[in-house]
Amino acid sequence: MILFRSFSEVQEALKKSTFSCADITKNYLKRISNQSHLNAFIEVYADEALAQAKIVDHKIKNGTPGKLAGMVIGIKDNLCYKNHKVSAASKILDGFDSLFTATSIQRLLNEDAIIIGRVNCDEFGMGSANENTIYGPVKNPLDNLRVAGGSSGGSAAAVAAGLCLAAIGSDTGGSIRQPASFCGVVGIKPTYSRVSRYGLIAYASSFDQIGPLANNVEDAALILEVISGKDDFDSTVSTKKVEQYSKASIKDKPIKIAYIQDCLDRKGLDPEVKKFMEEKIIELKKKGHVVEPIPFPQLDLLVPVYYVLTTAEASSNLARFDGVHYGYRSKIVETLENTYINSRTEGFGEEVKRRIMLGTFVLSSGYHDAYFTKAQKIRRVIKNNTIEVFKKYDFIISPTAPHTAFPIGKKHKDPTAMYLEDVFTVQANLTGNPAISLPLGNHSNGLPIGFQIMADNFKEGELLAFSKYLFN
Ligand code: GLN
């Protein structure tokens, strides 16, 4: 079975007519069914994808293909696609069909991408291991006993296993980058407001962003270029012009790179991940770049502040799932109140309920100022400090995660251990900055180590150019 690892390979094959889009799609369908044990796809749009592939083949023949003609893409199960099921991996959305299409998905379709199916994820994007899902955990393609990361674990596993060329994920606190790191692919979270969130099932609205996972930087850049930009359906989206990310190139001067020393000295950081970072720093210095340690006094506050604010936002966003409007309704519904209570009790998973309760608590009268307001203030300080860093430096580098993919079940019963997984990724969501994970390291356990680069707001072009320089 053929395995394409880049869109340029696909385009080459289409140009030479070695394969048609229909052949390529059939090949992916076969790969998905051969690797169904990974549990990456929860629904495959076989007939529809083939029909779309044939339309794209026609367009290619007529000389009118879109930018993504022949690119086969999987979409995370929290993105709406009209007349298709979407569940956010939750029982509460059981049987729900999307009434409209997310802007990001529509833009992929407008450029002739082929959407092959929806992929597994953590329920409402809450998790770091893709174990909080009604569909069962996603297995890491590189070691089936280990997690794929979360919450976009299905997206990362599908790309790594060659079940689609690229996938769309969402990132509220690391959910694109951490699974990318665990599965050895590229994943980018754009600047907050770069990509429309219209049609993304909200987890924490002031953090959520949609982004691509791919085998290489070029493919991720091209997808980002297509899905970014202003949108009348999302008032938070930036109207800033979208650069041609796929053509971005690195500037010809030493790059100024910062790293937070305490990140490398953290207890719990795998010694091999630390060594990998130290070697990278030396390598970058040897290439003539400026690489310097910086202090970041709020490092230990990143995870707590993230969890206070995101659970608060989630408790409000998830109030709409009440057993009346959408999806699942309990069988025990004598009164309005017990319709709500029973439907929500039975419909939501453990972790989601934990977060709704935590979020409701931090917003409740008497505790609001002590938790929510305080966390908002610290978020501002973190943002201001990050702005200061980017006045002096082009990028901040760190590992994407403290270690490589861990065994399935290892942290599932320990929420605190799971939350600490996010220590390096949440800063970019608290501040809104763009950040990417590149699979640059190899651990002696045979698994990839992700290298994270964070850039100044709306500097996706520079970030991707630097990534290309380091990776491809
Ligand atoms: N692991 C983080 C959480 O559980 C991030 C999730 C995400 O980015 N959607 O909240």
Side-chain angles (χ1 to χ4, degrees), residues 420-433:
L420 286 169
E421 278 304 294
D422 306 329
V423 58
F424 301 133
T425 47
V426 292
Q427 183 184 354
N429 304 79
L430 282 160
T431 60
N433 289 72

Side-chain angles (χ1 to χ4, degrees), residues 125-128 151 171-175 203 306-307 355 422:
M126 298 177 186
S128 309
S151 64
D171 191 311
T172 305
S175 277
Y203 159 13
Y306 168 82
Y307 277 94
R355 295 195 191 195
D422 306 329

Side-chain angles (χ1 to χ4, degrees), residues 10-21:
V10 170
Q11 286 176 311
E12 190 65 23
L14 291 172
K15 204 156 115 200
K16 288 196 195 138
S17 299
T18 346
F19 296 103
S20 64
C21 290

Side-chain angles (χ1 to χ4, degrees), residues 135-293:
Y135 306 105
V138 176
K139 293 180 179 153
N140 192 311
L142 304 168
D143 177 346
N144 292 177
L145 296 175
R146 290 177 186 257
V147 302
S151 64
S152 312
S155 309
V159 175
L163 312 185
C164 48
L165 191 70
I168 303 298
S170 65
D171 191 311
T172 305
S175 277
I176 290 175
R177 292 160 285 154
Q178 187 253 23
S181 158
F182 280 12
C183 294
V185 299
V186 173
I188 178 167
K189 178 202 89 76
T191 309
Y192 181 79
S193 82
R194 183 68 299 189
V195 176
S196 166
R197 289 178 294 115
Y198 178 71
L200 169 70
I201 296 178
Y203 159 13
S205 309
S206 76
F207 294 74
D208 300 339
Q209 266 296 284
I210 296 168
L213 294 97
N215 294 295
N216 55 62
V217 178
E218 276 91 349
D219 292 0
L222 183 62
I223 296 172
L224 186 60
E225 188 179 305
V226 167
I227 64 176
S228 294
K230 75 174 187 356
D231 178 24
D232 292 341
F233 293 124
D234 177 355
S235 61
T236 64
V237 163
S238 170
T239 52
K240 257 195 176 52
K241 197 170 162 275
V242 177
E243 292 164 57
Q244 284 197 293
Y245 301 134
S246 55
K247 304 220 162 67
S249 58
I250 197 159
K251 49 187 179 185
D252 207 19
K253 61 174 191 194
I255 296 168
K256 288 183 167 169
I257 303 159
Y259 65 93
I260 301 170
Q261 182 61 49
D262 287 348
C263 281
L264 300 188
D265 296 335
R266 266 192 90 77
K267 226 173 70 201
L269 179 66
D270 182 314
E272 282 193 45
V273 174
K274 179 174 178 169
K275 190 161 158 267
F276 154 74
M277 283 307 296
E278 286 168 345
E279 284 168 3
K280 273 279 153 231
I281 289 167
I282 293 170
E283 196 184 306
L284 284 164
K285 281 184 183 165
K286 272 196 191 142
K287 285 184 177 160
H289 305 299
V290 177
V291 193
E292 290 173 348

Side-chain angles (χ1 to χ4, degrees), residues 1 36 44 46 50 85 127 187 223 234 278 297 310 454-455 462 470:
M1 240 184 306
S36 57
V44 184
L50 264 176
K85 296 219 165 331
I223 296 172
D234 177 355
E278 286 168 345
T310 53
M454 201 196 312
E462 278 90 332
L470 291 177

